[in-house]
Amino acid sequence: MKEDILKKMPGVQRGVLLEDYTTYKIGGPAKYFFVAKNKKELISALEFAKKNKFPVFILGGGSNLLVSDKGFKGLVIQVRISNFEFQVSKNVFVGAGMGLTKLAYACAEKGLSGLEWAAGIPSATIGGAIYGHAQAFGIKISDTIKEVTTINLKTLEIKKFLRKQCQFSLKNSIFKKTKKFVIISAVLKLKEKNTKEVKKSIKEFLDYRKNGHPMKFSSAGSTFVNPEAKIKNKKLLIKFPELVVYNKKGIIPAGFLIAKCGLAGRKIGSAQISEKHANFILNLGGAKAKDILALIKLAKKEVKKKFNINMETEVQLIGF
Ligand SMILES: Cc1cc2nc3c(=O)[nH]c(=O)nc-3n(C[C@H](O)[C@H](O)[C@H](O)COP(=O)(O)OP(=O)(O)OC[C@H]3O[C@@H](n4cnc5c(N)ncnc54)[C@H](O)[C@@H]3O)c2cc1C
């Protein structure tokens, strides 16, 4: 019976360890695993899952994921559709599996600006960046999005979304809110700029990340979304004057809140809240998903207790 299922969908593998597909280097096996290198393969895999009633998880570069030690009991489809094409009017058509870093450098060579900030995000794909509305240094992926082409996970209907229809908000999009669509491709609109200047800008962002982020250990980047919150408690405002500035901005760095709870450096098993940037939880080597999850819960609990803020976990939890 098992053999029959796999024969009907060549390329599907069984029991693939997801730790090899996440930047955390954590995660148990996917019951079934398939790499879709083009739209046709993606549709076939979705049809196969639908027919066999398998739960589906769509994987990009695995840089925003915490996968359970037990893995995922369904079909993981990694979207590796990575063709891209420069079009007229500074537009670029790009497959959802294209790496952000690779695309940023390709655009630089072509004298196109808009993705420099994204060059240092390891493994991340365009699809994952659109899904989670990736952003850094005040620049957002939505600043460059013109349209996004998707396929509905259930009906397999192809649907295009113009930027406005993507409902982008802080680290969110219609794709993340509904979990109904697989992103196949996008058209980005960039700006003309001298190649040298674009490359200089990429280097500046890379240097900033090198200095400010804990890049020596595996992680999934920022663990929590920076809360859009204002602190009114006078005692807290006196104790932590930085809060006055954050109140004006309307957004408080999660790393600041976690550090002020005295949690920077806290370890559970081989997982640690970074001392350098407390919004990063690190795999020091051999950490289990349950260790990372325990630190996530601890940070949430302590921040709620001290600041009365509910932090939203940005890292997507899979298979829990
Ligand atoms: C060192 C480091 C630095 C980082 N810096 C930043 C940063 O500056 N800014 C920032 O925003 N993020 C940052 N991140 C987080 C992460 O890289 C981004 O969120 C990235 O956009 C995720 O893309 P991905 O392809 O790896 O997605 P994955 O981690 O594979 O998946 C994330 C989510 O997107 C969904 N998804 C992926 N592809 C598709 C698709 N084609 N269709 C539908 N859904 C899809 C998945 O189902 C999952 O729910 C960082 C991560 C690391 C490790």
mmCIF file of all heavy atoms in Angstrom, residues 23 57-65 79 96 100 117 121-125 127-129 131 133-136 171 181-183 209 215 219-222 280 314 316, ligand 1:
data_model
loop_
_atom_site.group_PDB
_atom_site.id
_atom_site.type_symbol
_atom_site.label_atom_id
_atom_site.label_comp_id
_atom_site.label_asym_id
_atom_site.label_seq_id
_atom_site.Cartn_x
_atom_site.Cartn_y
_atom_site.Cartn_z
ATOM 1 N N THR A 23 17.130 26.781 9.048
ATOM 2 C CA THR A 23 18.342 27.477 9.515
ATOM 3 C C THR A 23 18.599 27.173 10.996
ATOM 4 O O THR A 23 19.715 27.323 11.460
ATOM 5 C CB THR A 23 18.227 28.999 9.311
ATOM 6 O OG1 THR A 23 17.014 29.459 9.921
ATOM 7 C CG2 THR A 23 18.219 29.387 7.846
ATOM 8 N N PHE A 57 2.453 21.076 4.269
ATOM 9 C CA PHE A 57 3.183 22.255 4.749
ATOM 10 C C PHE A 57 4.074 22.753 3.619
ATOM 11 O O PHE A 57 4.806 21.990 2.997
ATOM 12 C CB PHE A 57 4.041 21.947 5.989
ATOM 13 C CG PHE A 57 4.828 23.152 6.401
ATOM 14 C CD1 PHE A 57 4.185 24.244 6.960
ATOM 15 C CD2 PHE A 57 6.195 23.232 6.155
ATOM 16 C CE1 PHE A 57 4.889 25.407 7.286
ATOM 17 C CE2 PHE A 57 6.899 24.392 6.478
ATOM 18 C CZ PHE A 57 6.245 25.472 7.049
ATOM 19 N N ILE A 58 3.977 24.069 3.355
ATOM 20 C CA ILE A 58 4.782 24.680 2.295
ATOM 21 C C ILE A 58 6.053 25.247 2.900
ATOM 22 O O ILE A 58 6.015 26.092 3.802
ATOM 23 C CB ILE A 58 3.993 25.800 1.572
ATOM 24 C CG1 ILE A 58 2.705 25.239 0.942
ATOM 25 C CG2 ILE A 58 4.849 26.493 0.512
ATOM 26 C CD1 ILE A 58 2.910 24.199 -0.144
ATOM 27 N N LEU A 59 7.184 24.753 2.387
ATOM 28 C CA LEU A 59 8.496 25.157 2.895
ATOM 29 C C LEU A 59 9.192 26.054 1.878
ATOM 30 O O LEU A 59 9.189 25.774 0.680
ATOM 31 C CB LEU A 59 9.324 23.875 3.130
ATOM 32 C CG LEU A 59 10.777 24.016 3.549
ATOM 33 C CD1 LEU A 59 10.880 24.562 4.975
ATOM 34 C CD2 LEU A 59 11.470 22.650 3.478
ATOM 35 N N GLY A 60 9.753 27.154 2.395
ATOM 36 C CA GLY A 60 10.592 28.000 1.541
ATOM 37 C C GLY A 60 12.037 27.665 1.847
ATOM 38 O O GLY A 60 12.484 26.533 1.642
ATOM 39 N N GLY A 61 12.757 28.642 2.419
ATOM 40 C CA GLY A 61 14.162 28.414 2.771
ATOM 41 C C GLY A 61 14.333 27.934 4.205
ATOM 42 O O GLY A 61 15.459 27.714 4.660
ATOM 43 N N GLY A 62 13.238 27.812 4.944
ATOM 44 C CA GLY A 62 13.306 27.306 6.323
ATOM 45 C C GLY A 62 13.975 28.247 7.307
ATOM 46 O O GLY A 62 14.462 27.820 8.349
ATOM 47 N N SER A 63 13.966 29.552 7.010
ATOM 48 C CA SER A 63 14.689 30.497 7.882
ATOM 49 C C SER A 63 13.788 31.192 8.894
ATOM 50 O O SER A 63 14.236 32.078 9.617
ATOM 51 C CB SER A 63 15.413 31.540 7.024
ATOM 52 O OG SER A 63 14.490 32.312 6.303
ATOM 53 N N ASN A 64 12.521 30.796 8.931
ATOM 54 C CA ASN A 64 11.601 31.416 9.901
ATOM 55 C C ASN A 64 10.781 30.334 10.599
ATOM 56 O O ASN A 64 9.628 30.557 10.937
ATOM 57 C CB ASN A 64 10.680 32.394 9.151
ATOM 58 C CG ASN A 64 10.116 33.467 10.053
ATOM 59 O OD1 ASN A 64 10.691 33.769 11.096
ATOM 60 N ND2 ASN A 64 8.986 34.038 9.673
ATOM 61 N N LEU A 65 11.408 29.172 10.799
ATOM 62 C CA LEU A 65 10.651 28.007 11.258
ATOM 63 C C LEU A 65 11.252 27.339 12.481
ATOM 64 O O LEU A 65 12.471 27.226 12.591
ATOM 65 C CB LEU A 65 10.650 26.926 10.162
ATOM 66 C CG LEU A 65 10.033 27.234 8.811
ATOM 67 C CD1 LEU A 65 10.135 26.000 7.932
ATOM 68 C CD2 LEU A 65 8.579 27.658 8.961
ATOM 69 N N VAL A 79 9.048 24.739 -2.031
ATOM 70 C CA VAL A 79 8.893 25.489 -3.285
ATOM 71 C C VAL A 79 10.276 25.986 -3.716
ATOM 72 O O VAL A 79 10.871 26.834 -3.059
ATOM 73 C CB VAL A 79 7.920 26.680 -3.102
ATOM 74 C CG1 VAL A 79 7.822 27.493 -4.386
ATOM 75 C CG2 VAL A 79 6.541 26.174 -2.690
ATOM 76 N N ALA A 96 8.778 31.923 -6.660
ATOM 77 C CA ALA A 96 8.694 32.075 -5.205
ATOM 78 C C ALA A 96 9.868 31.447 -4.463
ATOM 79 O O ALA A 96 10.165 31.820 -3.335
ATOM 80 C CB ALA A 96 7.392 31.441 -4.706
ATOM 81 N N LEU A 100 16.391 35.386 -1.603
ATOM 82 C CA LEU A 100 16.399 36.853 -1.521
ATOM 83 C C LEU A 100 17.802 37.417 -1.779
ATOM 84 O O LEU A 100 17.962 38.409 -2.491
ATOM 85 C CB LEU A 100 15.983 37.289 -0.110
ATOM 86 C CG LEU A 100 14.501 37.432 0.216
ATOM 87 C CD1 LEU A 100 14.338 37.905 1.642
ATOM 88 C CD2 LEU A 100 13.846 38.418 -0.735
ATOM 89 N N TRP A 117 18.484 45.642 1.511
ATOM 90 C CA TRP A 117 18.297 45.322 2.926
ATOM 91 C C TRP A 117 18.153 43.831 3.178
ATOM 92 O O TRP A 117 18.410 43.349 4.275
ATOM 93 C CB TRP A 117 17.017 46.016 3.427
ATOM 94 C CG TRP A 117 15.798 45.562 2.673
ATOM 95 C CD1 TRP A 117 15.372 46.006 1.457
ATOM 96 C CD2 TRP A 117 14.885 44.522 3.050
ATOM 97 N NE1 TRP A 117 14.245 45.322 1.057
ATOM 98 C CE2 TRP A 117 13.923 44.405 2.023
ATOM 99 C CE3 TRP A 117 14.777 43.685 4.172
ATOM 100 C CZ2 TRP A 117 12.879 43.495 2.065
ATOM 101 C CZ3 TRP A 117 13.732 42.768 4.213
ATOM 102 C CH2 TRP A 117 12.799 42.686 3.163
ATOM 103 N N ILE A 121 19.830 38.000 4.641
ATOM 104 C CA ILE A 121 18.928 37.052 5.304
ATOM 105 C C ILE A 121 19.204 35.666 4.723
ATOM 106 O O ILE A 121 18.898 35.408 3.567
ATOM 107 C CB ILE A 121 17.433 37.435 5.110
ATOM 108 C CG1 ILE A 121 17.199 38.900 5.494
ATOM 109 C CG2 ILE A 121 16.552 36.515 5.939
ATOM 110 C CD1 ILE A 121 15.740 39.348 5.433
ATOM 111 N N PRO A 122 19.805 34.778 5.514
ATOM 112 C CA PRO A 122 20.256 33.505 4.943
ATOM 113 C C PRO A 122 19.085 32.597 4.556
ATOM 114 O O PRO A 122 18.104 32.505 5.290
ATOM 115 C CB PRO A 122 21.054 32.864 6.100
ATOM 116 C CG PRO A 122 20.543 33.513 7.338
ATOM 117 C CD PRO A 122 20.034 34.866 6.963
ATOM 118 N N SER A 123 19.213 31.970 3.415
ATOM 119 C CA SER A 123 18.245 30.954 2.923
ATOM 120 C C SER A 123 16.871 31.479 2.532
ATOM 121 O O SER A 123 16.131 30.793 1.843
ATOM 122 C CB SER A 123 17.988 29.848 3.975
ATOM 123 O OG SER A 123 19.132 29.141 4.197
ATOM 124 N N ALA A 124 16.485 32.648 2.987
ATOM 125 C CA ALA A 124 15.105 33.122 2.786
ATOM 126 C C ALA A 124 14.749 33.204 1.299
ATOM 127 O O ALA A 124 15.564 33.603 0.472
ATOM 128 C CB ALA A 124 14.927 34.486 3.422
ATOM 129 N N THR A 125 13.512 32.829 0.988
ATOM 130 C CA THR A 125 13.019 32.907 -0.390
ATOM 131 C C THR A 125 12.017 34.066 -0.525
ATOM 132 O O THR A 125 11.491 34.568 0.476
ATOM 133 C CB THR A 125 12.285 31.608 -0.790
ATOM 134 O OG1 THR A 125 11.111 31.466 0.036
ATOM 135 C CG2 THR A 125 13.161 30.389 -0.637
ATOM 136 N N GLY A 127 9.015 33.766 -1.674
ATOM 137 C CA GLY A 127 7.706 33.289 -1.189
ATOM 138 C C GLY A 127 7.567 33.460 0.314
ATOM 139 O O GLY A 127 6.557 33.984 0.805
ATOM 140 N N GLY A 128 8.594 33.042 1.056
ATOM 141 C CA GLY A 128 8.566 33.165 2.513
ATOM 142 C C GLY A 128 8.542 34.616 2.946
ATOM 143 O O GLY A 128 7.865 34.996 3.911
ATOM 144 N N ALA A 129 9.275 35.454 2.209
ATOM 145 C CA ALA A 129 9.346 36.881 2.560
ATOM 146 C C ALA A 129 7.992 37.566 2.343
ATOM 147 O O ALA A 129 7.576 38.415 3.134
ATOM 148 C CB ALA A 129 10.428 37.566 1.729
ATOM 149 N N TYR A 131 5.028 35.961 2.354
ATOM 150 C CA TYR A 131 4.107 35.356 3.331
ATOM 151 C C TYR A 131 4.199 36.081 4.675
ATOM 152 O O TYR A 131 3.203 36.480 5.256
ATOM 153 C CB TYR A 131 4.479 33.878 3.488
ATOM 154 C CG TYR A 131 3.656 33.106 4.477
ATOM 155 C CD1 TYR A 131 2.535 32.388 4.071
ATOM 156 C CD2 TYR A 131 4.021 33.043 5.822
ATOM 157 C CE1 TYR A 131 1.791 31.644 4.979
ATOM 158 C CE2 TYR A 131 3.282 32.312 6.738
ATOM 159 C CZ TYR A 131 2.169 31.619 6.309
ATOM 160 O OH TYR A 131 1.435 30.896 7.210
ATOM 161 N N HIS A 133 5.717 38.982 5.282
ATOM 162 C CA HIS A 133 5.987 40.408 5.086
ATOM 163 C C HIS A 133 7.333 40.802 5.709
ATOM 164 O O HIS A 133 7.410 41.620 6.642
ATOM 165 C CB HIS A 133 4.848 41.274 5.668
ATOM 166 C CG HIS A 133 4.920 42.691 5.188
ATOM 167 N ND1 HIS A 133 4.288 43.724 5.824
ATOM 168 C CD2 HIS A 133 5.575 43.247 4.132
ATOM 169 C CE1 HIS A 133 4.540 44.850 5.192
ATOM 170 N NE2 HIS A 133 5.311 44.581 4.151
ATOM 171 N N ALA A 134 8.390 40.204 5.166
ATOM 172 C CA ALA A 134 9.748 40.450 5.678
ATOM 173 C C ALA A 134 10.112 41.925 5.573
ATOM 174 O O ALA A 134 9.694 42.622 4.639
ATOM 175 C CB ALA A 134 10.744 39.601 4.893
ATOM 176 N N GLN A 135 10.868 42.388 6.536
ATOM 177 C CA GLN A 135 11.284 43.791 6.561
ATOM 178 C C GLN A 135 12.492 43.969 7.456
ATOM 179 O O GLN A 135 12.740 43.152 8.342
ATOM 180 C CB GLN A 135 10.153 44.678 7.055
ATOM 181 C CG GLN A 135 9.433 44.185 8.304
ATOM 182 C CD GLN A 135 8.062 44.799 8.427
ATOM 183 O OE1 GLN A 135 7.930 45.931 8.843
ATOM 184 N NE2 GLN A 135 7.031 44.046 8.019
ATOM 185 N N ALA A 136 13.220 45.033 7.198
ATOM 186 C CA ALA A 136 14.364 45.367 8.061
ATOM 187 C C ALA A 136 14.769 46.794 7.747
ATOM 188 O O ALA A 136 14.587 47.262 6.620
ATOM 189 C CB ALA A 136 15.527 44.418 7.801
ATOM 190 N N LYS A 171 4.617 42.351 9.719
ATOM 191 C CA LYS A 171 4.979 40.928 9.618
ATOM 192 C C LYS A 171 3.771 40.039 9.294
ATOM 193 O O LYS A 171 3.624 38.938 9.834
ATOM 194 C CB LYS A 171 5.637 40.463 10.928
ATOM 195 C CG LYS A 171 7.001 41.089 11.187
ATOM 196 C CD LYS A 171 8.060 40.482 10.305
ATOM 197 C CE LYS A 171 9.336 41.257 10.332
ATOM 198 N NZ LYS A 171 10.429 40.585 10.934
ATOM 199 N N PHE A 181 -3.176 29.925 0.504
ATOM 200 C CA PHE A 181 -2.550 30.063 -0.807
ATOM 201 C C PHE A 181 -1.070 29.670 -0.792
ATOM 202 O O PHE A 181 -0.365 29.946 0.172
ATOM 203 C CB PHE A 181 -2.629 31.527 -1.274
ATOM 204 C CG PHE A 181 -4.033 32.066 -1.270
ATOM 205 C CD1 PHE A 181 -4.499 32.802 -0.189
ATOM 206 C CD2 PHE A 181 -4.893 31.808 -2.335
ATOM 207 C CE1 PHE A 181 -5.797 33.299 -0.172
ATOM 208 C CE2 PHE A 181 -6.191 32.297 -2.321
ATOM 209 C CZ PHE A 181 -6.653 33.047 -1.241
ATOM 210 N N VAL A 182 -0.637 29.088 -1.896
ATOM 211 C CA VAL A 182 0.795 28.873 -2.086
ATOM 212 C C VAL A 182 1.260 29.931 -3.081
ATOM 213 O O VAL A 182 0.639 30.102 -4.143
ATOM 214 C CB VAL A 182 1.094 27.474 -2.679
ATOM 215 C CG1 VAL A 182 2.597 27.257 -2.737
ATOM 216 C CG2 VAL A 182 0.415 26.390 -1.874
ATOM 217 N N ILE A 183 2.307 30.633 -2.721
ATOM 218 C CA ILE A 183 2.827 31.670 -3.618
ATOM 219 C C ILE A 183 3.698 30.989 -4.672
ATOM 220 O O ILE A 183 4.612 30.223 -4.343
ATOM 221 C CB ILE A 183 3.619 32.731 -2.813
ATOM 222 C CG1 ILE A 183 2.676 33.402 -1.809
ATOM 223 C CG2 ILE A 183 4.278 33.751 -3.743
ATOM 224 C CD1 ILE A 183 3.363 34.095 -0.660
ATOM 225 N N ARG A 209 24.356 43.912 10.115
ATOM 226 C CA ARG A 209 23.888 42.609 10.636
ATOM 227 C C ARG A 209 25.026 41.889 11.371
ATOM 228 O O ARG A 209 24.830 41.313 12.434
ATOM 229 C CB ARG A 209 23.396 41.722 9.485
ATOM 230 C CG ARG A 209 22.035 42.102 8.968
ATOM 231 C CD ARG A 209 21.609 41.151 7.860
ATOM 232 N NE ARG A 209 20.425 41.640 7.189
ATOM 233 C CZ ARG A 209 19.171 41.420 7.602
ATOM 234 N NH1 ARG A 209 18.956 40.714 8.663
ATOM 235 N NH2 ARG A 209 18.143 41.909 6.918
ATOM 236 N N MET A 215 25.432 36.009 14.582
ATOM 237 C CA MET A 215 25.451 35.181 13.364
ATOM 238 C C MET A 215 26.286 33.904 13.534
ATOM 239 O O MET A 215 26.338 33.080 12.613
ATOM 240 C CB MET A 215 25.982 35.990 12.173
ATOM 241 C CG MET A 215 25.250 37.298 11.922
ATOM 242 S SD MET A 215 23.503 37.079 11.541
ATOM 243 C CE MET A 215 23.541 37.030 9.763
ATOM 244 N N SER A 219 19.967 30.052 14.031
ATOM 245 C CA SER A 219 18.761 30.686 14.591
ATOM 246 C C SER A 219 17.720 30.789 13.484
ATOM 247 O O SER A 219 17.949 30.344 12.359
ATOM 248 C CB SER A 219 19.088 32.089 15.119
ATOM 249 O OG SER A 219 19.150 33.018 14.058
ATOM 250 N N ALA A 220 16.590 31.400 13.836
ATOM 251 C CA ALA A 220 15.588 31.695 12.801
ATOM 252 C C ALA A 220 15.353 33.199 12.790
ATOM 253 O O ALA A 220 14.243 33.664 12.529
ATOM 254 C CB ALA A 220 14.313 30.923 13.063
ATOM 255 N N GLY A 221 16.393 33.960 13.098
ATOM 256 C CA GLY A 221 16.267 35.423 13.120
ATOM 257 C C GLY A 221 15.455 35.864 14.332
ATOM 258 O O GLY A 221 15.481 35.211 15.393
ATOM 259 N N SER A 222 14.678 36.920 14.165
ATOM 260 C CA SER A 222 13.885 37.442 15.278
ATOM 261 C C SER A 222 12.811 36.442 15.678
ATOM 262 O O SER A 222 12.062 35.963 14.828
ATOM 263 C CB SER A 222 13.216 38.756 14.878
ATOM 264 O OG SER A 222 14.211 39.718 14.661
ATOM 265 N N PHE A 280 16.814 37.048 19.465
ATOM 266 C CA PHE A 280 17.288 35.837 18.783
ATOM 267 C C PHE A 280 17.422 34.712 19.820
ATOM 268 O O PHE A 280 18.036 34.918 20.863
ATOM 269 C CB PHE A 280 18.686 36.055 18.168
ATOM 270 C CG PHE A 280 18.695 36.771 16.847
ATOM 271 C CD1 PHE A 280 18.195 38.063 16.727
ATOM 272 C CD2 PHE A 280 19.235 36.169 15.720
ATOM 273 C CE1 PHE A 280 18.220 38.739 15.509
ATOM 274 C CE2 PHE A 280 19.266 36.836 14.493
ATOM 275 C CZ PHE A 280 18.759 38.113 14.386
ATOM 276 N N GLU A 314 7.005 35.316 16.032
ATOM 277 C CA GLU A 314 7.153 35.504 14.581
ATOM 278 C C GLU A 314 7.564 34.193 13.916
ATOM 279 O O GLU A 314 7.090 33.857 12.834
ATOM 280 C CB GLU A 314 8.211 36.579 14.320
ATOM 281 C CG GLU A 314 8.445 36.807 12.842
ATOM 282 C CD GLU A 314 9.490 37.855 12.558
ATOM 283 O OE1 GLU A 314 9.661 38.799 13.363
ATOM 284 O OE2 GLU A 314 10.155 37.733 11.518
ATOM 285 N N GLN A 316 7.497 30.602 12.825
ATOM 286 C CA GLN A 316 6.349 29.715 12.610
ATOM 287 C C GLN A 316 6.620 28.346 13.240
ATOM 288 O O GLN A 316 7.681 27.754 13.001
ATOM 289 C CB GLN A 316 6.094 29.551 11.103
ATOM 290 C CG GLN A 316 5.858 30.865 10.367
ATOM 291 C CD GLN A 316 4.549 31.514 10.782
ATOM 292 O OE1 GLN A 316 3.482 30.988 10.536
ATOM 293 N NE2 GLN A 316 4.646 32.659 11.456
HETATM 294 C C1 LIG B 1 19.926 35.215 10.586
HETATM 295 C C2 LIG B 1 18.527 35.572 10.158
HETATM 296 C C3 LIG B 1 18.195 36.891 9.916
HETATM 297 C C4 LIG B 1 16.887 37.248 9.559
HETATM 298 N N1 LIG B 1 16.611 38.554 9.317
HETATM 299 C C5 LIG B 1 15.356 38.916 8.965
HETATM 300 C C6 LIG B 1 15.039 40.287 8.685
HETATM 301 O O1 LIG B 1 15.893 41.145 8.711
HETATM 302 N N2 LIG B 1 13.758 40.586 8.377
HETATM 303 C C7 LIG B 1 12.775 39.641 8.319
HETATM 304 O O2 LIG B 1 11.630 39.980 8.040
HETATM 305 N N3 LIG B 1 13.046 38.333 8.564
HETATM 306 C C8 LIG B 1 14.305 37.945 8.879
HETATM 307 N N4 LIG B 1 14.582 36.625 9.133
HETATM 308 C C9 LIG B 1 13.496 35.630 9.128
HETATM 309 C C10 LIG B 1 13.277 34.916 7.770
HETATM 310 O O3 LIG B 1 14.460 34.807 7.065
HETATM 311 C C11 LIG B 1 12.266 35.625 6.908
HETATM 312 O O4 LIG B 1 11.037 35.649 7.566
HETATM 313 C C12 LIG B 1 12.095 34.961 5.521
HETATM 314 O O5 LIG B 1 11.324 35.807 4.736
HETATM 315 C C13 LIG B 1 11.466 33.584 5.562
HETATM 316 O O6 LIG B 1 11.551 33.030 4.268
HETATM 317 P P1 LIG B 1 11.744 31.476 4.025
HETATM 318 O O7 LIG B 1 11.740 31.233 2.571
HETATM 319 O O8 LIG B 1 12.938 30.969 4.759
HETATM 320 O O9 LIG B 1 10.414 30.895 4.669
HETATM 321 P P2 LIG B 1 10.225 29.582 5.558
HETATM 322 O O10 LIG B 1 10.957 29.762 6.840
HETATM 323 O O11 LIG B 1 10.520 28.366 4.785
HETATM 324 O O12 LIG B 1 8.664 29.652 5.839
HETATM 325 C C14 LIG B 1 8.115 30.682 6.604
HETATM 326 C C15 LIG B 1 6.595 30.696 6.396
HETATM 327 O O13 LIG B 1 6.346 31.094 5.050
HETATM 328 C C16 LIG B 1 5.532 30.105 4.405
HETATM 329 N N5 LIG B 1 5.960 30.030 3.000
HETATM 330 C C17 LIG B 1 7.233 29.905 2.527
HETATM 331 N N6 LIG B 1 7.207 29.889 1.173
HETATM 332 C C18 LIG B 1 5.921 29.984 0.794
HETATM 333 C C19 LIG B 1 5.250 29.999 -0.465
HETATM 334 N N7 LIG B 1 5.895 29.904 -1.623
HETATM 335 N N8 LIG B 1 3.900 30.121 -0.456
HETATM 336 C C20 LIG B 1 3.199 30.216 0.693
HETATM 337 N N9 LIG B 1 3.781 30.188 1.910
HETATM 338 C C21 LIG B 1 5.121 30.083 1.959
HETATM 339 C C22 LIG B 1 5.795 28.812 5.155
HETATM 340 O O14 LIG B 1 4.712 27.916 5.025
HETATM 341 C C23 LIG B 1 5.972 29.316 6.577
HETATM 342 O O15 LIG B 1 4.731 29.440 7.221
HETATM 343 C C24 LIG B 1 15.901 36.239 9.453
HETATM 344 C C25 LIG B 1 16.239 34.903 9.653
HETATM 345 C C26 LIG B 1 17.532 34.560 9.995
HETATM 346 C C27 LIG B 1 17.879 33.112 10.202
#
